[in-house]
Every structure is written in structure tokens, then in C-alpha cells.
Amino acid sequence: MRYSNLGLNEDSENPLYLQLADKLRQAIIRGEVTDGERLPSIRGLSHALQVNPATVVSAYRILEQEGWVRSRPGSGVYAKHKKSLFDIGTDLSYNHFKDEKIADLAAGTPSPDLFPVGQFKEIVLEVLDRDGGWAFEYQHSAGWETFRQTLTRYVKETVHISADPSAIWVVSGAQQGIDLTAKALLHSGDQVIVEHPTYRGALGAFWSRGADTISIELNPNGMDMDILEARLEQTRPRLLYMQSRFQTPTTYSWGKVELYRLLELAERYDFYILEDDLLSDLYFDAVPDPLNIKSVDQQNRVIYVRGFSKVLLPGLRLGMLIIPPKLQGLYEQAKQSSDIATDGFLQRAVDLYLQRDYHKNRMEELRRQYQLLYFQTVRAVEQYLEPLGCSFYRCNGGLHLWLGLPRGVKSAELYTKALERGLRIMPGEAFNDPSHIRLSFACIEPDNIEAAINKLALCLQASSI
């Protein structure tokens, strides 16, 4: 295999080490790297790809955690084939799939048709006219001060968090916020508690630092707090990673009692909570109470990360962290060793967008649109899939459903059959759970939902024969 041909995209929001891990995993799955074959040395592969050796180290660590390679001290890293339903021979990305012949129930971000292109174009031109060349100057590692002040108002009004501008750090997307947390807080051998199932990009960030992850099964009210406390008695983790509202992929939201007890345990056992807030404000009925765990954090135990790609433009490499004061020095070191500072022009553009309150109308529009899509999807699932033995949780928010499959049906096999019939779904293997699929209504027209779900039912019936 010519490793120099592995195409890594430096402009992607997905970090290079995750891209490299994905490329190598697929090469092993496809047989391009044989079982037991020695992979290139860290120095050799970093030279071939023109990347930092740390990128290769991180990718190899992730693959070893997943069981795709094994390290032999003093000898190297060797491929390890395994039978896995993750092997579906295609890309498991969260991106939109632009093909009129394919009904897309896999995309994880809103439809491009809903993007505020006109408003953003107007703002970009206004920033250029107003600031000229100064719009492109380098910013402080924490972000442009004016934008951080605007974000203080934004988080108060939107997600009910009171934060001083000094606590808010601008990052190059939510994934970088997770990466910086791993880099700032974790060392080899540290332990991180995570929900199961959970977001693969977060696991990759923790494993890239040599940390061990401890998974605790998620239920509709969060983790079982007695099980969590028993684990805390056995080990002292550095971090707990969570999504408190409309979790990916389960769609569960933590209960109020569980959130307050989690804060109490964090203080008692001295660990930090990394809250990844994807879509807490995309609710379809009453406002959740509390909207997130950071809003009720009185002891500065919660590190809060939020991206803007779900409410502005996908691929927009901009996000924010709210960092406890005592950790800010560690984050500054991590940020400066990553990209020094986030794009200043983009900060100015989004700052103006938020100051104009354009985001408020956009969220109202998204809630209306996705509430309609949610209920249409639920009705179709009830009509076509529940009679076949499928199950799901009625979440009343977010962008997808987490569909439990009938006994004996594996999601990777269903994915293949669905794609053959012109339907794209997200198999549970992407979240290490082959008994489920993620059905997204983020990027499908309302008129196409019933036909798409009916098509999925036909695929299920074919899988059961």
C-alpha cells in the first residue's frame, strides 16, 4: 500500500489524527493492509504525509484502543484484522450526501436549504467594509475580546449560562474544544468516564492522549448514578464526558435529579465534567429544566463546549469553550500549541450575526421546521417500523431518532440493503452498537419522509427472511 496516497484534508474540522485513523482503519478492513503487516514507523509515516509525528502517534493509539492494530515494543505497529460489522465498505461520515437518487436519513446537520446564506453574505461584506485589513489580524489565543463579550450575552439568553468574558474561549469548532480539553487535562494512563454509546470523535481525542475510557450505559435519565458512584469509588477519573440534552446517538436527556447529583459527585471525587452541548436549544415542547448542566454549576466543575455549525453553517470552524478559572493557563498552552488562535475574520462575522440577533429568528425557524419533521418521522416509524419489532425513544428535540432493531438484525447489514434501495442511514456500528441505527430527519424534505421510512421497512423485511 502506498501510504503517501492517504488523502488528509487540513481544512477539515475533523482533526488530522482522526482522519488518519479512519483512513488506516478502512485500509485494514478492505484488505489493503494484510493481517500482521507492519505499518510504517511513526517517523516514516509522518514524513510521507508531511504531518507532525504526534498525529501518527495519536492515530495509532486510537486504532490500538479499537483493536485494529497491536504494538510490539521495540518492533513496531502491526495490523490486526478482526471480524466486525463496522466493515460496511463505505464512509460513515456525518456529512450531507448530495445525490438526488439517495434519500438521506444519515446527515447530522441541518439541510443546506435552511442556511442563512443571504444574511451571512451581507455580514461578510459589512465586516470587510468596516474593518478592512484589520479584520484579518491575529487574535489573542482566547479570541477577539469584542466577540467574547457578545458571547457572554449570547450564552445568557440562549442557553441560560452566566459567564464572564474572561471565561469564554473561542475555538476552531466544537471538536477542537474537545481536543484542547484532552490536551490540557489528560496524560497517559488517566481515566475518563463516558456515556455508552457516545460520540466517536470524543473517544478519539481522549485515546490520542493515552487516556483510558470507562463506559457507563446511558438510560433515558442519564447514567445510573449508583453505578457511577461505585466506579468513582474504584477509580479517580480526571474527566467525565457527557451530552446532557438530546445525546448523540441515543437522543436521551439527563434528568434534573441526575444532573444535580453529578455535580455533587464531581465536587466530592474531584473530577471535571466536559459538557458537549450540541442542540440543547432545539427542543420541541417545554424548555428543559435545566437547559444544561453548566447553567447550574456553582463550583466551576463544568467545562462547556458548543459549536456554531448546527445553527449557522456546517463546516463553520468556530465554537466556544467556557473554562473554569484555574484551568485557563493549561488551555492557553494547549491552544497555542494547536493553532495559536482561531480565524479572526470569522469571529468578526459571527459577532455581527449575533449582535443583530439573527440567530434568534433562525432558531425559531429551525424549531418550527424540525418539529414538523420530527412528528412526521415519528408517525412513519410508528406505522411502518414498530410493527416489525423496532423501538425508539420519543425525545421531543434534536435532529434524529435512535432506532432499536428487531432481534437478529444487524445495522451494518441493514445499511447495505438500504443503500442498494437508494436510502442512506447511519448504522449503530459508528457508535459501537450494532443493534441500533440512527435515523436523522435533518436533511430530508417533509414530503419524502413516509416513502423513505416505508423503504426502510421493506429492507428490514428482506433482512428478516
Side-chain angles (χ1 to χ4, degrees), residues 258-284:
E258 286 77 9
L259 289 176
Y260 277 97
R261 188 170 174 196
L262 179 57
L263 288 171
E264 175 192 331
L265 292 175
E267 184 69 13
R268 186 190 311 169
Y269 291 96
D270 192 24
F271 63 88
Y272 286 98
I273 299 165
L274 175 59
E275 180 177 25
D276 184 2
D277 185 2
L278 297 174
L279 290 167
S280 68
D281 47 343
L282 192 58
Y283 45 82
F284 304 143

Side-chain angles (χ1 to χ4, degrees), residues 96-210:
H96 299 104
F97 196 75
K98 190 173 182 180
D99 187 334
E100 294 181 357
K101 298 179 181 179
I102 301 290
D104 192 356
L105 292 174
T109 54
S111 167
D113 294 333
L114 296 177
F115 298 156
V117 176
Q119 285 181 338
F120 209 71
K121 178 180 179 181
E122 167 195 324
I123 281 174
V124 164
L125 294 175
E126 184 170 341
V127 168
L128 289 172
D129 288 341
R130 183 192 69 189
D131 299 342
W134 290 101
F136 300 96
E137 67 174 340
Y138 284 107
Q139 306 299 323
H140 185 275
S141 295
W144 187 40
E145 180 61 29
T146 300
F147 185 37
R148 294 164 73 194
Q149 292 172 3
T150 299
L151 288 174
T152 295
R153 179 173 67 90
Y154 166 76
V155 296
K156 180 66 174 178
E157 294 178 350
T158 304
V159 288
H160 305 172
I161 296 172
S162 298
D164 189 88
S166 64
I168 295 176
W169 282 55
V170 182
V171 292
S172 304
Q175 179 65 50
Q176 188 188 64
I178 298 171
D179 290 338
L180 291 180
T181 299
K183 185 179 288 189
L185 299 187
L186 300 178
H187 301 89
S188 183
D190 282 347
Q191 294 179 317
V192 181
I193 292 179
V194 299
E195 301 162 324
H196 178 75
T198 193
Y199 170 49
R200 190 162 56 99
L203 293 175
F206 305 144
W207 292 339
S208 75
R209 304 302 298 173

Side-chain angles (χ1 to χ4, degrees), residues 54 61 69 77 97 311 324:
R61 280 178 176 167
V69 303
V77 177
F97 196 75
V311 294

Side-chain angles (χ1 to χ4, degrees), residues 379-411:
R379 284 193 294 269
V381 170
E382 290 173 341
Q383 179 178 353
Y384 295 104
L385 299 180
E386 280 193 328
L388 300 178
C390 293
S391 60
F392 70 101
Y393 177 73
R394 289 157 177 80
C395 52
N396 284 315
L399 291 170
H400 68 273
L401 302 180
W402 184 234
L403 190 74
L405 299 176
R407 185 182 298 274
V409 177
K410 302 300 183 183
S411 66

Side-chain angles (χ1 to χ4, degrees), residues 172-424:
S172 304
Q175 179 65 50
Q176 188 188 64
I178 298 171
D179 290 338
L180 291 180
T181 299
K183 185 179 288 189
L185 299 187
L186 300 178
H187 301 89
S188 183
D190 282 347
Q191 294 179 317
V192 181
I193 292 179
V194 299
E195 301 162 324
H196 178 75
T198 193
Y199 170 49
R200 190 162 56 99
L203 293 175
F206 305 144
W207 292 339
S208 75
R209 304 302 298 173
D212 298 320
T213 52
I214 302 169
S215 297
I216 296 182
E217 199 74 26
L218 207 60
N219 62 57
N221 289 312
M223 293 179 182
D224 183 308
M225 302 310 288
D226 293 333
I227 292 176
L228 173 59
E229 186 161 11
R231 291 294 181 90
L232 294 171
E233 290 281 1
Q234 297 167 0
T235 183
R236 294 302 169 99
R238 178 68 165 150
L239 191 68
L240 182 146
Y241 170 76
M242 69 177 302
Q243 296 172 7
S244 61
R245 296 286 170 239
F246 314 124
Q247 193 255 8
T248 296
T250 67
T251 74
Y252 295 154
S253 291
W254 283 61
K256 186 174 183 177
V257 171
E258 286 77 9
L259 289 176
Y260 277 97
R261 188 170 174 196
L262 179 57
L263 288 171
E264 175 192 331
L265 292 175
E267 184 69 13
R268 186 190 311 169
Y269 291 96
D270 192 24
F271 63 88
Y272 286 98
I273 299 165
L274 175 59
E275 180 177 25
D276 184 2
D277 185 2
L278 297 174
L279 290 167
S280 68
D281 47 343
L282 192 58
Y283 45 82
F284 304 143
D285 49 16
V287 181
D289 178 28
L291 194 55
N292 51 71
I293 193 171
K294 182 61 181 176
S295 64
V296 291
D297 174 27
Q298 301 297 317
Q299 303 297 327
N300 272 318
R301 283 290 167 183
V302 179
I303 304 156
Y304 177 87
V305 60
R306 181 178 177 86
F308 291 97
S309 63
K310 296 290 193 297
V311 294
L312 279 180
L313 301 168
L316 188 71
R317 300 186 67 184
L318 196 68
M320 58 174 291
L321 280 165
I322 301 178
I323 306 170
K326 66 168 59 175
L327 299 180
Q328 291 189 16
L330 295 174
Y331 275 84
E332 183 166 12
Q333 295 174 26
K335 178 67 172 172
Q336 289 185 350
S337 66
S338 297
D339 61 358
I340 302 177
T342 296
D343 188 304
F345 176 72
L346 201 53
Q347 292 185 56
R348 291 169 187 259
V350 176
D351 174 71
L352 192 55
Y353 183 90
L354 297 179
Q355 285 193 37
R356 296 267 173 87
D357 286 337
Y358 287 159
H359 62 288
K360 294 181 179 179
N361 289 334
R362 173 149 174 80
M363 281 309 304
E364 290 176 2
E365 177 188 354
L366 288 177
R367 286 194 195 102
R368 284 193 299 270
Q369 177 74 10
Y370 285 112
Q371 184 178 38
L372 171 66
L373 290 168
Y374 168 75
F375 284 114
Q376 285 186 302
T377 304
V378 166
R379 284 193 294 269
V381 170
E382 290 173 341
Q383 179 178 353
Y384 295 104
L385 299 180
E386 280 193 328
L388 300 178
C390 293
S391 60
F392 70 101
Y393 177 73
R394 289 157 177 80
C395 52
N396 284 315
L399 291 170
H400 68 273
L401 302 180
W402 184 234
L403 190 74
L405 299 176
R407 185 182 298 274
V409 177
K410 302 300 183 183
S411 66
E413 297 168 0
L414 183 60
Y415 173 93
T416 302
K417 291 183 182 296
L419 200 59
E420 290 172 353
R421 290 176 179 259
L423 181 65
R424 185 170 179 254

